Amino acid sequence: MIVNRHAKRDFGIACAAAVLLTAAFGVWIGLRIDGIQVTEAVDDFGEAAAALIAALACAAAALRHKGRMRVAWALLGSGAAAWAIGEGIWSYIEVIRGQQVPFPSLADAGYLAAVPLVVAGIAVFPGRHRIASRAAFLLDGAIIAGALLIISWSTVLGMLYRAGSGDILSIVLGLAYPVSDIAIAVTALLLVSRTARSVRLPLLLVAAGLSANLLSDSAFAYLTTAQTYGPAQLIDTGWIAGYLLIGLGAFFATLAPKSSLKADDEPPGRWSLALPYVPVAIAATVTVVWNVSGSPDLFLFWGMMGVAGLVLLRQFIVLWDNLALNQKLEAQAAALRDTETNFRSLVQTSSC
């Protein structure tokens, strides 16, 4: 991706500002400067401001581009705006009214509304034209989702399910957060694996931001279930860093020339081909450790068996694609040899 010197300077300044803001937020929350009430206000309004910055940057990127890129950035910006609205409602209840935020509350509508918008936005981004098999690509998503579900079940999701009490709505919403994190993580990993070279940096920043949000979401769900989450926690820094990273990705896309942000035909690298197997290895390790050291968990066992079956199916499809490609190459080579033979015969005939 080609950007001029002034654009690089502006992007560097934006990166420095994001780092300083994140560090300042973390220090304020950690030291609780000016007391818990002021720190709580900085925490809540700071998170809303970071999401709003990301929304505005994505809107600017959408206005800068057209086609699928415009739609993608617009959807991402809408997701950030929905999350900012949810955080604004949370801040109003907790800071302005001075009340404990109930669960569920109207803020949950904003938080959860961001998930389908973000997932749709990632799916719309242009990727490589060369995808060996759509079935293999879809299986990659299913493998990553299954592996992340196993990891989440062993850490957060299983605890939430076993500790579920109260009305159905509270249980469903409590489970919706880690499940939505899995959905976003799957789309982010697939985004990295199919990213075109021309859009790699901004979308890697977006994927990093989504990962930071995911870590904070998971930590929040775990601490809430363990009843140890309180106001102004250091884990909230993840949301600040996450949305500022998304904003940086959108800002870089705004600085880049329009013609440089498009799909390309570059074949995927080895690291992107191996990417779906990283969470699988972690899930397999978690399953073995959990079932050996503690009481057996049937969900982990059969879930891992299902993921292993999907991996075998994907390898079969890849092998089938390779065989089909070899047959196609052999047919093209044979056609080329026939053409060469005919050309030589024509030359010999004309020379006689």
Side-chain angles (χ1 to χ4, degrees), residues 91-108:
S91 302
Y92 173 76
I93 297 174
E94 187 173 56
V95 178
I96 297 178
R97 298 185 62 179
Q99 300 175 357
Q100 184 177 1
V101 181
F103 182 80
S105 69
L106 192 58
D108 295 301

Side-chain angles (χ1 to χ4, degrees), residues 217-310:
D217 285 341
S218 299
F220 171 78
Y222 178 82
L223 293 177
T224 300
T225 303
Q227 296 182 349
T228 57
Y229 183 83
Q233 297 286 320
L234 272 177
I235 63 168
D236 299 345
T237 309
W239 286 306
I240 297 292
Y243 279 109
L244 290 181
L245 282 169
I246 294 173
L248 285 175
F251 182 63
F252 191 86
T254 305
L255 298 175
K258 297 180 183 179
S259 59
S260 67
L261 297 178
K262 59 182 180 180
D264 59 34
D265 291 321
E266 179 192 8
R270 293 181 180 179
W271 67 271
S272 62
L273 294 176
L275 187 62
Y277 301 104
V278 175
V280 172
I282 299 174
T285 303
V286 168
T287 302
V288 172
V289 171
W290 188 282
N291 284 276
V292 170
S293 61
S295 59
D297 191 311
L298 292 179
F299 182 88
L300 290 179
F301 176 79
W302 289 112
M304 195 63 229
M305 291 300 99
V307 170
L310 290 175

